[in-house]
């Protein structure tokens, strides 16, 4: 198998094991077995469990950040932007892969490299949202960033709560509900007309 395909296969197998067992309980033996390879093959690609976890975590964080950026860039309508951004979080936590657990529920956040990746999701998503808020409202950067972090926090915490409460509402209904709440708040900051 080509190196790139093998790496993707190993990451997929590792994701299944880490999501099911958490970092501390997962063993490289379990990951190699799940992937159908020997441990030496696994170690050819990843020198240790932490490096494998970090590669997987980075991939998962990149996905979440890209989803938020895509939501923001998909329209110029800010109401729709808010809705799509909230949906990005709900779609991410509802994914069958369970990758969100690595980002939002890692049992290794005391490890600086893991904490850095986890914080990167909040920071980069918030910065992308803040740029839109600042451009549209002329709010100063600190105020725009605070609003953006609040929106990210609302979407992240509510989506995890929705998932943990056995999805008593449909995903889309829950995301629409929270998106509506977020829009009612953020629309109070009027769009600034650019003067020419």
């Amino acid at each position: 198998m080509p190196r790139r395909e093998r790496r993707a296969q190993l990451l997929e197998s590792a994701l299944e094991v880490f999501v099911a067992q958490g970092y501390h309980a997962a063993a490289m033996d379990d990951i190699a077995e799940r992937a159908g390879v020997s441990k030496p093959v696994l170690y050819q690609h990843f020198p240790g469990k932490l490096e494998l976890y970090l590669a997987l975590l980075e991939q998962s964080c990149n996905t979440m950040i890209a989803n938020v950026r895509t939501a923001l860039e998909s329209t110029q309508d800010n109401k729709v932007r808010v809705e799509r951004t909230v949906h990005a979080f709900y779609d991410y936590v509802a994914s069958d892969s369970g990758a969100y657990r690595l980002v939002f529920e890692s049992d290794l956040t005391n490890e600086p490299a893991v904490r850095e990746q986890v914080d990167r999701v909040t920071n980069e998503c918030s910065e992308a949202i803040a740029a839109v808020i600042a451009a549209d409202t002329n709010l100063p950067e600190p105020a725009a960033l605070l609003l953006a972090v609040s929106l990210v926090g609302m979407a992240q915490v509510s989506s995890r709560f929705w998932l943990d409460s056995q999805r008593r509402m449909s995903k889309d209904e829950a995301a629409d509900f929270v998106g509506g709440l977020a829009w009612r708040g953020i629309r109070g900051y009027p769009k600034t007309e650019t003067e020419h």
Side-chain angles (χ1 to χ4, degrees):
M1 182 180 286
R3 185 169 180 80
R4 188 172 174 183
E5 288 177 30
R6 175 68 74 197
R7 182 179 168 87
Q9 176 203 19
L10 295 173
L11 286 170
E12 185 177 321
S13 297
L15 175 62
E16 293 170 11
V17 173
F18 285 132
V19 165
Q21 299 177 17
Y23 176 82
H24 294 294
M28 291 295 268
D29 288 327
D30 298 332
I31 295 166
E33 184 179 322
R34 178 73 56 99
V37 300
S38 65
K39 256 175 66 171
V41 169
L42 181 57
Y43 281 112
Q44 285 174 0
H45 292 268
F46 301 98
K49 185 167 78 164
L50 179 60
E51 290 79 9
L52 175 55
Y53 187 84
L54 287 170
L56 196 54
L57 180 61
E58 181 178 19
Q59 178 180 291
S60 298
C61 291
N62 289 344
T63 298
M64 183 66 244
I65 293 164
N67 292 349
V68 168
R69 287 188 175 139
T70 298
L72 292 170
E73 294 166 2
S74 68
T75 182
Q76 295 299 308
D77 182 322
N78 285 332
K79 181 175 190 263
V80 176
R81 277 181 173 149
V82 169
E83 291 167 355
R84 289 181 182 169
T85 299
V86 171
H87 273 268
F89 281 88
Y90 277 77
D91 291 344
Y92 185 69
V93 301
S95 168
D96 290 337
S97 75
Y100 84 94
R101 292 194 185 281
L102 301 181
V103 180
F104 299 139
E105 298 178 3
S106 176
D107 60 349
L108 196 61
T109 53
N110 60 338
E111 170 65 40
V114 171
R115 180 85 254 153
E116 181 181 320
Q117 285 296 322
V118 171
D119 289 346
R120 188 170 67 88
V121 171
T122 299
N123 295 338
E124 290 192 26
C125 290
S126 298
E127 288 165 6
I129 295 167
V132 172
I133 292 171
D136 282 355
T137 64
N138 278 342
L139 283 172
E141 187 271 335
L145 188 57
L146 184 59
L147 290 176
V149 168
S150 299
L151 288 171
V152 167
M154 181 187 299
Q156 182 191 125
V157 172
S158 68
S159 62
R160 289 172 51 212
F161 176 81
W162 166 80
L163 188 67
D164 292 342
S165 63
Q166 287 77 44
R167 306 175 188 208
R168 289 184 274 183
M169 303 169 78
S170 75
K171 175 178 60 77
D172 288 339
E173 183 182 16
D176 287 345
F177 198 66
V178 173
L181 173 64
W183 175 245
R184 282 185 200 62
I186 199 72
R187 76 176 178 200
Y189 297 91
K191 243 182 152 169
T192 302
E193 296 299 326
T194 307
E195 294 180 12
H196 299 287

